[in-house]
Amino acid sequence: MIRRHFHDLPVEARQAIADKAGLVRAARTADGGLNSGIAAFLDTDHGPVFVKGIPTDHPQAPAQRREAAISPYLPRACPRLYWHIETAGWDLLGYEVLQGRHADYSPGSPDLPLVAAALAELQETTAPTDVPIKDAEQRWAAYAPPGTAAFFSGDTLLHTDLAPHNVLVDDRAHIIDWAWPTRGAAWIDPAILILQLLEAGHTPVEADAFARRFPSWRTAPAEATKAFAAANAAAWQEIARAHAAPWKAAIASHANAFHAHLHSSPGTR
């Protein structure tokens, strides 16, 4: 998606933001990120605010609206959403500014206990019933071994995209960018985190051991985690084939490796 700067927004959109946030004194376009048409840190009369936005007719606009809808239910590990407005052809979200950096998932990183604490907080969050989000059973049904998708059901709110760029760290870790909230078994988020740990240099044994910090993963039935590992590997293979990118191929490879790891240790994790 083409990244625009704050001052590229229509006058009506900039005025709507000012009506919410106060007079904008300065604007800095955020580095990184590919899923927002605008992502900017604003210095306003009411204090700093982070604005992300997308054209209302863009295919990813529904995902941003879903992100706004889920925000009131998120734990403190997630940034606060101040406002959500649609105007002048733009869907815009205004968030509190977190003075953090992207998490370091590498082995031995001091960020890892903070990431674990943030995810443990999220693990206690029940998915709302009045926000239209997918069930894990539905989301991975097409990829799961026959008769196993029911293992994925549950009532926990899942993030499902725990890449380091979706976790900011200051004195704690904050989980950001809720484009893919899902309702399902609590152990699914630790399973997804494992692939990111592998990408950061952990071995399958080390990543599995880290996930065992979470009671949900530690107590999950082996047949359920193996079924999900198979489904996730199949999903990532499809993603990597459809959109050639080195990072997608790498995650697909890690998904296959972890699937093989689980199946090489029958009855254990």
Side-chain angles (χ1 to χ4, degrees):
M1 186 183 305
I2 297 174
R3 174 63 55 83
R4 296 173 175 84
H5 300 289
F6 173 74
H7 292 291
D8 294 331
L9 287 173
V11 172
E12 298 94 326
R14 283 183 278 138
Q15 183 58 55
I17 291 171
D19 291 343
K20 292 285 188 180
L23 181 65
V24 177
R25 303 290 185 181
R28 175 176 64 85
T29 299
D31 298 326
L34 300 174
N35 295 324
S36 296
I38 179 173
F41 296 96
L42 307 184
D43 179 13
T44 80
D45 280 353
H46 297 168
V49 62
F50 174 69
V51 174
K52 61 184 293 187
I54 194 168
T56 54
D57 60 355
H58 192 278
Q60 293 181 10
Q64 178 159 294
R65 295 187 186 101
R66 188 166 54 242
E67 179 178 348
I70 206 73
S71 182
Y73 302 93
L74 301 181
R76 190 64 191 95
C78 307
R80 177 185 173 193
L81 177 66
Y82 293 139
W83 40 260
H84 174 210
I85 53 179
E86 291 191 30
T87 186
W90 280 83
D91 187 281
L92 300 159
L93 307 181
Y95 279 101
E96 70 170 312
V97 172
L98 299 175
Q99 302 295 340
R101 52 177 174 75
H102 295 308
D104 176 5
Y105 283 8
S106 61
S109 167
D111 292 354
L112 291 175
L114 303 181
V115 173
L119 183 52
E121 185 178 350
L122 180 59
Q123 292 266 282
E124 301 300 320
T125 305
T126 300
T129 58
D130 57 346
V131 176
I133 60 177
K134 279 192 174 182
D135 293 321
E137 182 177 355
Q138 171 194 12
R139 181 170 167 185
W140 281 281
Y143 308 101
T148 65
F151 284 131
F152 311 156
S153 65
D155 63 0
T156 299
L157 179 62
L158 306 172
H159 183 276
T160 75
D161 189 13
L162 294 166
H165 62 261
N166 285 335
V167 181
L168 295 180
V169 174
D170 43 37
D171 59 342
R172 64 167 299 167
H174 306 268
I175 301 171
I176 65 172
D177 284 351
W178 280 81
W180 300 105
T182 302
R183 180 186 297 103
W187 52 264
I188 289 176
D189 264 347
I192 285 171
L193 178 60
I194 282 172
L195 302 191
Q196 299 298 329
L197 295 174
L198 296 178
E199 174 68 2
H202 296 253
T203 67
V205 171
E206 291 167 343
D208 196 351
F210 185 87
R212 288 178 64 83
R213 297 182 182 207
F214 306 102
S216 64
W217 178 257
R218 199 164 57 243
T219 61
E223 61 267 36
T225 57
K226 290 177 180 179
F228 184 77
N232 209 23
W236 274 106
Q237 286 298 314
E238 181 177 280
I239 291 168
R241 286 194 301 268
H243 304 94
W247 73 267
K248 292 179 181 179
I251 297 298
S253 177
H254 298 318
N256 281 336
F258 194 68
H259 179 218
H261 165 72
L262 289 187
H263 280 268
S264 69
S265 303
T268 64
R269 291 197 307 277

